[in-house]
Amino acid sequence: MVQEEKGMRNKKGILALAAVLIVLLAVYLGLRTWNREREEKAEEKEAASEICVTDTDASDIVSIRFDVGNGEMEFEKEDGEWYYTRDTDFPLQQSYPEGMAETAGSIRAVRQLEDGDSMADYGLEEPTYTLEYTDTEGAVTQIRFGDTTGEDYYVTVGDTGIVYTVAGTVMNSFNYTLEDMAQLDNYPSIGSGNLLKVEITEDNETTTYDSSGEDQTEDIAAIAGGLGAVTLSEAADYSVEDKDLAGYGLDEKSRVTVEVTYTKDEEEQVMTLYIGGEDGDGNRYVMLNDSRIVYLISEEICDNILNI
């Protein structure tokens, strides 16, 4: 009998705990739902309070033209790829115009001025900076940036006559030189450990250095040191034309051809380096494989590569 009463008390205790847990779970779920609804309302309120200076989806922008102090630049998109308008062969890194389109199409104002002064009073008749983009429908949106107020700019769009203040950080997406936006070639990692063979051809004569030759160990080490020191960071021409190669000493008759065989991930790879003339400042002009970019590499590094 005592055991039965004890068992009943245990069951009642378990049921009571279960009931408490159910209540707590219901309260938790209710609070969670309430918080989510509250966050959604706050987001909706914030979105509704945003002042849109521009509102164009980045994917709909097909051309951008601007001048933010580095000279006028213009980019156009064709078949999903961006090009520098003045030189469509320029090796443009796509992330830059993509970021510009994203920024240009979604400029938000800090505030909108009501009953303001004339455009001239805000520096908008002769703007400091200009930004213009065209969408897929051919509509052109022109944004003018005038004087600064604190860390913001006075801005107006087209001939609306409306003046806004916009955060100065908007300029960050456009404040690049053309050189900053160049997509340079990838140069492989080469050293004594993975260099197999080098063939150097100059004036129709070829000299071969092979890592398997015991008598060429020092030569291979010197050449590997030169190849390993190369950095493709400074360019003299980003899209050289064939007719201009002679000016860099990179035409077929003048250049030195260096064919390098090396291993990468245990597989043989071949790279061709063309070495041209001197620039007068201690560098030589160089091209890589079938690239159209002319780089500058120090004469000392080139001498090591050529085993001079």
Side-chain angles (χ1 to χ4, degrees):
M1 189 72 175
V2 174
Q3 290 293 334
E4 289 180 4
E5 289 178 357
K6 189 175 180 180
M8 289 294 291
R9 285 198 300 271
N10 288 339
K11 288 181 180 178
K12 288 179 180 179
I14 292 170
L15 290 173
L17 285 172
V20 171
L21 286 173
I22 291 171
V23 171
L24 290 174
L25 181 61
V27 170
Y28 168 75
L29 292 174
L31 286 172
R32 188 177 177 184
T33 301
W34 180 75
N35 283 331
R36 185 166 59 247
E37 290 175 350
R38 188 179 180 187
E39 289 173 0
E40 288 175 355
K41 287 180 180 178
E43 289 173 0
E44 290 174 2
K45 184 178 180 181
E46 183 179 351
S49 65
E50 280 188 339
I51 304 172
C52 296
V53 178
T54 60
D55 192 16
T56 305
D57 193 281
S59 62
D60 291 332
I61 295 177
V62 295
S63 74
I64 303 172
R65 183 169 63 185
F66 59 90
D67 186 346
V68 296
N70 293 321
E72 186 176 285
M73 293 190 188
E74 185 173 2
F75 302 93
E76 298 178 7
K77 185 167 68 172
E78 185 177 333
D79 296 329
E81 186 169 0
W82 285 94
Y83 299 92
Y84 177 50
T85 303
R86 295 180 185 175
D87 181 2
T88 56
D89 291 324
F90 180 83
L92 181 63
Q93 194 171 148
Q94 294 296 296
S95 60
Y96 286 96
E98 288 170 356
M100 293 171 185
E102 188 71 39
T103 297
S106 58
I107 298 175
R108 300 294 178 260
V110 176
R111 64 190 180 98
Q112 178 178 325
L113 277 60
E114 303 290 344
D115 301 321
D117 299 323
S118 68
M119 291 290 163
D121 293 322
Y122 298 111
L124 290 167
E125 278 194 359
E126 297 182 5
T128 305
Y129 305 128
T130 56
L131 168 62
E132 179 181 293
Y133 67 82
T134 305
D135 64 22
T136 52
E137 300 298 321
V140 178
T141 301
Q142 186 185 65
I143 306 106
R144 301 198 300 275
F145 294 77
D147 297 335
T148 57
T149 171
E151 296 182 351
D152 303 334
Y153 284 96
Y154 290 113
V155 166
T156 190
V157 180
D159 58 0
T160 61
I162 302 173
V163 178
Y164 308 90
T165 59
V166 168
T169 53
V170 168
M171 290 291 100
N172 293 347
S173 295
F174 306 92
N175 196 20
Y176 298 100
T177 64
L178 189 61
E179 289 75 16
D180 292 332
M181 294 182 272
Q183 178 66 63
L184 302 181
D185 297 297
N186 292 320
Y187 184 81
S189 177
I190 299 175
S192 298
N194 69 337
L195 179 59
L196 299 179
K197 185 173 68 173
V198 178
E199 293 181 320
I200 300 174
T201 302
E202 183 175 9
D203 296 329
N204 295 320
E205 292 186 6
T206 299
T207 303
T208 301
Y209 299 93
D210 197 317
S211 63
S212 62
E214 294 182 2
D215 60 336
Q216 293 187 328
T217 302
E218 290 185 6
D219 294 327
I220 285 290
I223 295 170
L227 291 168
V230 171
T231 56
L232 302 181
S233 58
E234 187 177 359
D237 195 323
Y238 290 92
S239 54
V240 66
E241 296 182 22
D242 288 342
K243 63 182 178 63
D244 297 322
L245 287 173
Y248 296 110
L250 287 167
D251 55 305
E252 289 189 22
K253 183 179 70 173
S254 307
R255 68 194 183 193
V256 181
T257 301
V258 182
E259 188 172 285
V260 181
T261 304
Y262 64 99
T263 58
K264 179 182 179 182
D265 299 328
E266 299 182 355
E267 292 186 7
E268 282 196 15
Q269 307 284 337
V270 177
M271 175 191 74
T272 303
L273 193 67
Y274 300 108
I275 299 178
E278 301 173 3
D279 72 342
D281 291 318
N283 303 299
R284 292 185 70 170
Y285 299 111
V286 168
M287 290 178 68
L288 184 67
N289 296 323
D290 56 355
S291 172
R292 304 307 297 178
I293 304 176
V294 177
Y295 296 95
L296 289 167
I297 297 177
S298 75
E299 290 180 36
E300 182 181 358
I301 290 175
C302 289
D303 285 348
N304 286 337
I305 293 172
L306 299 175
N307 198 31
I308 297 175

